[in-house]
Amino acid sequence: MNNTEQIKRSLKKRYAKERRFRLYGLTAIVVSFLFLFTLLADITLKAIPAFTQAWVQLDVSFESDTLGLDNVNEQTINEGKFRKAVKSSTYNLFPDVSKRKQKKELSALVSGGAQYQIRDQLLDNPEWLGTTQTVWVKADDQLDVWLESDGELGKISEQQEQWIAALQEQDRIKRSFNTTLFTAGDSREPEQAGILGALVGSLLTLAVTLVLSITVGVATAIYLEIFAPQNRFTDFIEININNLAAVPSIIFGLLGLAIFISLFGVPRSTPLVGGLVLSLMTLPTIIVSSRAALKSVPPSLMEAALGLGASKMQAVFQHALPLAMPGILTGAIIGMAQALGETAPLLMIGMVAFIVDVPSGVLDAATVLPVQIYLWADSPERAFTAMTAAGILILLVFLVAMNSLAIVLRKRFERRW
Amino acid sequence: MENDLHIDQHISQRFNEELEDLRSKVLEMGGLVEQQVMDGTDALVNGDAELGAKVVERDTQVNAMEVAMDESCVEIIARRQPTASDLRLIVSIIKTITDLERIGDQAEKLGAFAVQLSDKGVSADKYSNLENISSKALAVLRKALDAFARMDHEAALEAAKMDEKVDQEYEAILRQVMTYMMEDPREIKKAMRVLWAARALERIGDHAKNISEYVVYLVKGKDIRHLDSLPEAKSL
Amino acid sequence: MSNNTDQQNTDLDQLVGETTGTPFLPDEKVKMSARNVDVFYADKQAIFDNSLDIGKNEVLAMIGPSGCGKSTFLRTLNRMNDTIPICRITGEIKLDDENIYGKDIDPVLLRARVGMVFQKPNPFPKSIYDNVAYGPRLHGLARNKADLDEIVVTSLKRAGLFDEVKDRLDASGTGLSGGQQQRLCIARTIAVSPEVILMDEPASALDPIATAIIEELIDELRQNFTIAIVTHSMQQAARVSQRTAYFHLGKLVEVGETNQIFTNPAHQLTENYITGRFG
């Protein structure tokens, strides 16, 4: 039959079309992978310097006279003149330096936080009082940057270069992993700045968001999906929920500012108010996905339970909800990921403040990861560029970890029916 | 028509054809059997051995038709699982063809008697009563087949009623033959043959009556067999 | 009621007329009775003025073309239609002389008395044991673990499933074959000891062997329960039931002894349906 011939000819065309389409798809994936790879590689490369820290070795004399301390304890320690101790031990590195300007340049090589470091060390080792100890103190961020960039970046004078070379010869300069990044709060000095404050802030904020949005969201979804009568009012609510998902997030920030802070007096800049605002933002996502998950539970199971004489609530909580859990969790993951990366609404409620302390509760002032990144990106110091990249990496790792946890949880909830 | 079984209204066209085919085959078989009975009687009454032999020979055709139709019915039951009127139709047909085949056997017997009698150089012309009973039995058969063809339960009831006439006729022949035998014992053998022939015709009437009863079952779904009084069935 | 429905009603009356056959039984035999039942979905009427008795320890089969209202009617018998907000029911349905739509009747209690088995086997994604134990636990029918064990084992035995699953009561109910799943659902239903079991096409998703087993089971269950079964398979209705009811466009056309319905139905519509004719 010539029919076969015709079909054969059209088949060729169809297959060609199919191949072309597959190619387009593949290209799209490759391109997006390239972009992603470039982005990640760029960020990672930029972030590497932030993970190392330069240290300078000093011979600090903990003489009672120089420090102005007779004994070491919590009350008196703050009266010690550690700044002077650091300075004099720095000058001792190069005793021939005498000019005031040169002295200033020399002491600039050591981090301004060195005095606090040796103070803490002395507090930990009270027996050091009256002795001279060799200690490693953090180098200044300029020195750090200069070392990391092999002398291309960082404000280092020629005189300083010579000193550094001399110090390196004496093995008085070392570089090691930057633990401060993970153990400290924010600081104006890059070498003293850490992300822990923002990390804890993010965790606390997300915890508030999770608890609020999942309980309220799932309850809403169950009510709307299963109990609510079908009428204009519920239709209206449904449309509004769907529309809320598309509202720009800054609006939620304004709303939070007006309602939670001004009206209810929730303390500003706290994870609590941040969580409240982010809950508002994630609620639509969670409600919509939870409803979809509940809808996808085979109605036959609910019917079976009802047919056995279960009340509607029993049927929902014993059968529909467990089966909808994976879907609900997926919605929660998406919502949380959204919340984790959100900055705009938090700017409105004061979470952009410069906060040095690591928050210890939902009522402490705090900042969150994306805001921290934003703050660092805005800082003038050269070393903050690397810190910004490192912050982004940490945020990404946090996100991936959170999503993996959610996926593991979902797998555990997932059951065949 | 109230009693129409609408066998042409199935959703399955093939089923329609199968049932229609089966029904027309029953009528065809009925026609053949009717012919056999007529020819058998003719051969006997006219002492026509040739016709008698022909009747005997043709009975194989009747038997073959019964077997073929039985098979069709079994096939339909297996494949279509007929219900209600269809089920009644199939059951009636299975039973009807059995009775038709028996009628065919009786007709064959008539033909065989004709051959045997003419061998002896005698005919049954003396017993013209045979023609009477034959025509009455044939009338029952025709009426029953007619009722089947038209799905007419009233005609079927009439046919069943007509069988009584055949029985009466048989009684009459029996008495007549007994008289002959008492008059002339030498005639006993021949008389017995005639009696058997009459007996065969009476059986034909009974089978025809059965067929008419199946028609009533087919149309009305009521089994009127072995009811002592027909009036009860008349209430239909 | 809209004019549309009125029109529909009149047409139906002309086509069907009064229910033929024997919808009513002598009082002492009646387990459930429906009188003048109408069911509406919003403005659309799905069931038209149906009256029917279901006898004690009998299997009543409900047959009819798709959308004829047989399932809807079945669901009115244990108020499963209550879960559909737009569904409205008028008329009277009695279980042992008690109007199940009465104000003092709790539908949850009613469903424990009138159990239901669905078309698609729908075991809970739990263990076989938990599936059967669900109802008794829900209603607190077992005083202790031993009690519950006994209920589970008895129910599984009654459903003819025990021998097949006795070694793996902890296995998931969804891992069973289709026929076993359906028997599990039956076991789950009878574990609550209902008085009436409603079955909505219980074997339509099963192969012939599994179907035969279910049908055999239905016949055995009849000794202890009253059963109403909706089925698309006329052969099945013929095999399992004592009485058969034929529905057409929401109207009960004919009720009668199954033998009579399948050999000599009184109504032309019934005849047309069961013999596969246009009608």
Side-chain angles (χ1 to χ4, degrees):
Chain A
M1 290 296 282
N2 43 8
N3 230 352
T4 324
E5 280 304 309
Q6 238 177 338
I7 293 171
K8 257 188 193 163
R9 252 177 290 143
S10 80
L11 260 185
K12 231 179 232 169
K13 264 189 203 166
R14 277 189 270 169
Y15 285 144
K17 226 180 200 172
E18 216 171 294
R19 271 196 300 276
R20 271 204 303 282
F21 187 78
R22 272 212 298 253
L23 206 69
Y24 296 152
L26 205 66
T27 320
I29 287 177
V30 168
V31 167
S32 47
F33 254 104
L34 275 178
F35 275 122
L36 186 67
F37 182 76
T38 320
L39 185 73
L40 277 179
D42 184 51
I43 291 173
T44 316
L45 282 178
K46 280 204 178 123
I48 289 170
F51 290 104
T52 58
Q53 171 67 49
W55 298 76
V56 178
Q57 196 181 43
L58 296 179
D59 297 321
V60 182
S61 81
F62 291 98
E63 293 299 332
S64 306
D65 304 348
T66 14
L67 290 177
L69 282 175
D70 292 331
N71 53 1
V72 178
N73 61 46
E74 294 273 352
Q75 283 87 41
T76 59
I77 195 85
N78 282 333
E79 289 160 17
K81 296 168 179 160
F82 293 102
R83 188 175 149 84
K84 206 174 134 198
V86 172
K87 271 199 173 154
S88 61
S89 48
T90 316
Y91 300 154
N92 284 341
L93 291 173
F94 299 97
D96 50 333
V97 174
S98 56
K99 278 192 198 150
R100 193 179 161 77
K101 197 183 165 212
Q102 280 183 325
K103 273 188 171 176
K104 202 170 179 185
E105 276 189 7
L106 183 55
S107 66
L109 288 177
V110 176
S111 162
Q115 48 172 323
Y116 305 114
Q117 186 196 331
I118 61 167
R119 180 195 66 191
D120 293 345
Q121 276 173 329
L122 180 63
L123 192 60
D124 289 341
N125 307 290
E127 71 276 9
W128 284 5
L129 193 67
T131 62
T132 299
Q133 297 286 337
T134 307
V135 293
W136 288 96
V137 297
K138 278 184 188 162
D140 187 68
D141 58 306
Q142 297 295 351
L143 171 56
D144 194 42
V145 171
W146 188 80
L147 282 175
E148 275 153 0
S149 60
D150 288 329
E152 280 179 29
L153 299 172
K155 273 191 253 166
I156 296 291
S157 67
E158 277 178 37
Q159 178 67 62
Q160 282 175 319
E161 269 182 50
Q162 286 169 16
W163 289 331
I164 292 168
L167 287 174
Q168 277 174 326
E169 247 171 57
Q170 293 168 38
D171 280 338
R172 276 184 179 271
I173 290 186
K174 72 164 184 182
R175 290 170 68 190
S176 67
F177 186 69
N178 181 9
T179 50
T180 312
L181 184 61
F182 301 98
T183 53
D186 198 10
S187 168
R188 294 286 183 215
E189 301 297 325
E191 74 273 9
Q192 289 170 54
I195 205 154
L196 185 66
L199 205 64
V200 173
S202 264
L203 270 175
L204 290 171
T205 310
L206 281 187
V208 173
T209 311
L210 190 77
V211 169
L212 280 177
S213 59
I214 288 219
T215 45
V216 177
V218 173
T220 311
I222 290 175
Y223 178 75
L224 283 179
E225 190 57 42
I226 292 167
F227 293 98
Q230 199 76 28
N231 56 29
R232 288 237 178 98
F233 182 63
T234 45
D235 282 352
F236 177 74
I237 288 179
E238 199 175 329
I239 290 168
N240 274 295
I241 287 171
N242 290 336
N243 283 344
L244 269 185
V247 167
S249 54
I250 191 122
I251 310 276
F252 288 107
L254 284 168
L255 186 80
L257 180 64
I259 294 185
F260 295 130
I261 295 176
S262 305
L263 197 62
F264 294 140
V266 181
R268 60 167 58 229
S269 313
T270 55
L272 178 64
V273 71
L276 282 167
V277 167
L278 291 179
S279 307
L280 282 183
M281 208 194 67
T282 36
L283 262 178
T285 314
I286 291 185
I287 293 172
V288 170
S289 64
S290 301
R291 288 191 67 181
L294 282 170
K295 210 173 267 178
S296 73
V297 172
S300 64
L301 280 175
M302 284 275 287
E303 279 194 328
L306 291 176
L308 283 171
S311 69
K312 216 163 183 177
M313 209 180 87
Q314 285 170 321
V316 171
F317 281 92
Q318 292 168 353
H319 299 288
L321 205 54
L323 289 174
M325 218 52 208
I328 292 175
L329 272 176
T330 309
I333 295 167
I334 296 170
M336 287 299 115
Q338 223 180 348
L340 179 62
E342 202 54 67
T343 333
L346 300 178
L347 300 183
M348 304 308 301
I349 50 164
M351 290 195 91
V352 74
F354 173 70
I355 289 144
V356 179
D357 294 321
V358 174
S360 58
V362 291
L363 288 173
D364 287 353
T367 189
V368 293
L369 282 170
V371 174
Q372 184 68 74
I373 291 165
Y374 165 77
L375 284 172
W376 283 349
D378 229 21
S379 297
E381 283 86 355
R382 177 53 82 175
F384 275 124
T385 317
M387 298 283 281
T388 307
I392 292 171
L393 268 190
I394 291 168
L395 176 65
L396 286 178
V397 168
F398 193 86
L399 201 69
V400 169
M402 204 176 79
N403 283 2
S404 321
L405 178 73
I407 288 168
V408 168
L409 279 178
R410 194 176 64 183
K411 277 268 147 61
R412 184 169 293 179
F413 277 119
E414 221 157 45
R415 276 181 289 188
R416 221 164 54 83
W417 65 76
Chain B
M1 208 161 94
E2 194 207 340
N3 293 331
D4 194 350
L5 292 182
H6 307 292
I7 61 171
D8 56 342
Q9 286 184 6
H10 291 97
I11 293 160
S12 161
Q13 280 301 324
R14 286 265 302 150
F15 193 21
N16 288 342
E17 286 163 21
E18 284 165 11
L19 286 180
E20 191 51 59
D21 185 47
L22 204 55
R23 204 170 75 136
S24 57
K25 272 204 180 128
V26 170
L27 295 175
E28 194 187 319
M29 184 177 177
L32 180 63
V33 168
E34 196 182 323
Q35 188 63 46
Q36 284 283 82
V37 176
M38 280 193 317
D39 288 354
T41 316
D42 279 356
L44 194 60
V45 173
N46 302 333
D48 188 341
E50 204 177 316
L51 189 58
K54 215 166 159 190
V55 168
V56 172
E57 193 190 303
R58 263 200 312 228
D59 187 53
T60 52
Q61 258 183 60
V62 177
N63 292 344
M65 284 181 97
E66 190 209 5
V67 171
M69 261 188 283
D70 252 349
E71 206 176 298
S72 305
C73 287
V74 169
E75 261 171 34
I76 287 177
I77 289 172
R79 289 159 56 137
R80 308 280 182 190
Q81 285 115 42
T83 47
S85 60
D86 297 336
L87 179 64
R88 298 201 307 270
L89 178 64
I90 297 295
V91 169
S92 308
I93 286 176
I94 291 176
K95 295 186 147 189
T96 301
I97 58 176
T98 310
D99 276 295
L100 281 177
E101 194 271 338
R102 298 253 169 87
I103 294 175
D105 285 349
Q106 302 298 344
E108 185 201 5
K109 223 185 262 175
L110 294 179
F113 287 148
V115 174
Q116 286 170 12
L117 286 175
S118 65
D119 283 349
K120 303 278 181 309
V122 286
S123 78
D125 55 351
K126 260 175 142 177
Y127 308 97
S128 57
N129 273 352
L130 270 184
E131 266 185 322
N132 264 339
I133 187 173
S134 168
S135 69
K136 295 232 160 77
L138 271 170
V140 180
L141 179 60
R142 279 196 197 108
K143 192 98 186 169
L145 288 171
D146 194 44
F148 180 85
R150 290 191 285 117
M151 301 289 163
D152 184 349
H153 68 286
E154 277 166 17
L157 283 172
E158 278 171 39
K161 195 124 206 312
M162 278 159 65
D163 183 50
E164 286 170 25
K165 295 256 168 58
V166 181
D167 292 347
Q168 286 165 9
E169 203 63 45
Y170 175 67
E171 288 291 323
I173 289 178
L174 186 64
R175 245 173 257 131
Q176 191 186 21
V177 168
M178 273 163 68
T179 322
Y180 280 132
M181 288 195 286
M182 279 184 271
E183 277 171 4
D184 184 358
R186 285 170 303 167
E187 291 279 305
I188 285 181
K189 198 172 179 187
K190 190 180 157 198
M192 284 303 285
R193 285 215 175 93
V194 171
L195 195 56
W196 283 332
R199 174 79 187 148
L201 286 165
E202 188 267 339
R203 291 299 304 146
I204 287 172
D206 287 347
H207 287 305
K209 181 189 171 196
N210 286 348
I211 291 174
S212 67
E213 285 166 348
Y214 305 148
V215 173
V216 175
Y217 172 71
L218 168 58
V219 178
K220 284 288 156 191
K222 286 257 161 82
D223 201 339
I224 58 162
R225 286 176 303 171
H226 314 303
L227 291 178
D228 290 324
S229 53
L230 278 174
E232 198 177 314
K234 269 186 193 143
S235 68
L236 291 170
Chain C
M1 209 191 293
S2 67
N3 287 334
N4 204 359
T5 319
D6 275 339
Q7 180 59 40
Q8 211 180 332
N9 231 333
T10 323
D11 289 351
L12 254 181
D13 275 345
Q14 272 170 13
L15 188 65
V16 180
E18 283 294 299
T19 302
T20 34
T22 51
F24 307 122
L25 295 170
D27 278 350
E28 69 275 10
K29 280 191 190 163
V30 176
K31 181 69 193 174
M32 288 193 88
S33 68
R35 291 292 178 272
N36 308 103
V37 174
D38 291 313
V39 178
F40 301 88
Y41 288 115
D43 285 342
K44 200 178 164 300
Q45 191 166 4
I47 298 281
F48 296 87
D49 194 29
N50 288 342
S51 299
L52 172 68
D53 283 341
I54 304 174
K56 284 175 185 142
N57 296 70
E58 86 169 0
V59 178
L60 173 77
M62 305 190 200
I63 59 172
S66 298
C68 68
K70 55 191 190 300
S71 283
T72 305
F73 184 74
L74 189 79
R75 283 160 163 269
T76 61
L77 297 177
N78 73 341
R79 296 184 61 171
M80 276 306 271
N81 282 335
D82 282 17
T83 57
I84 304 165
I86 54 164
C87 185
R88 194 161 56 81
I89 294 156
T90 62
E92 188 186 62
I93 298 177
K94 281 180 171 175
L95 172 65
D96 288 339
D97 292 327
E98 198 174 7
N99 188 357
I100 64 168
Y101 283 90
K103 283 205 180 80
D104 48 342
I105 290 286
D106 184 348
V108 169
L109 175 69
L110 175 72
R111 289 184 202 128
R113 293 177 66 193
V114 183
M116 188 149 191
V117 176
F118 298 86
Q119 174 175 9
K120 220 182 114 214
N122 53 359
F124 302 130
K126 301 176 180 222
S127 73
I128 293 170
Y129 184 95
D130 286 341
N131 260 287
V132 183
Y134 182 74
R137 275 181 184 150
L138 203 60
H139 301 294
L141 298 181
R143 280 186 307 275
N144 50 40
K145 179 85 173 77
D147 244 18
L148 191 61
D149 285 349
E150 199 192 315
I151 293 179
V152 170
V153 170
T154 319
S155 305
L156 282 172
K157 275 185 181 155
R158 270 181 162 177
L161 189 63
F162 185 68
D163 289 336
E164 289 162 61
V165 300
K166 63 183 169 202
D167 305 324
R168 46 179 176 140
L169 290 177
D170 292 334
S172 170
T174 50
L176 298 173
S177 75
Q180 288 173 327
Q181 284 189 16
Q182 194 61 296
R183 275 180 284 154
L184 178 61
C185 293
I186 293 175
R188 186 176 64 186
T189 305
I190 58 184
V192 194
S193 303
E195 297 156 46
V196 180
I197 302 177
L198 308 177
M199 298 187 174
D200 192 352
E201 298 180 37
S204 66
L206 305 182
D207 66 84
I209 300 290
T211 303
I213 296 172
I214 298 278
E215 285 173 4
E216 175 64 20
L217 177 60
I218 291 172
D219 204 46
E220 280 168 26
L221 291 176
R222 183 163 72 88
Q223 319 211 326
N224 299 303
F225 305 98
T226 295
I227 298 171
I229 175 173
V230 161
T231 173
H232 260 138
S233 157
M234 285 172 299
Q235 271 74 35
Q236 183 170 69
R239 287 190 295 259
V240 300
S241 70
Q242 280 71 53
R243 281 166 80 231
T244 299
Y246 172 67
F247 288 78
H248 186 83
L249 297 173
K251 179 89 188 159
L252 184 56
V253 175
E254 182 172 357
V255 188
E257 298 289 321
T258 299
N259 287 337
Q260 175 251 317
I261 294 282
F262 282 92
T263 56
N264 191 19
H267 202 288
Q268 188 61 43
L269 285 172
T270 319
E271 166 94 28
N272 286 349
Y273 178 68
I274 64 170
T275 58
R277 285 170 164 83
F278 302 106

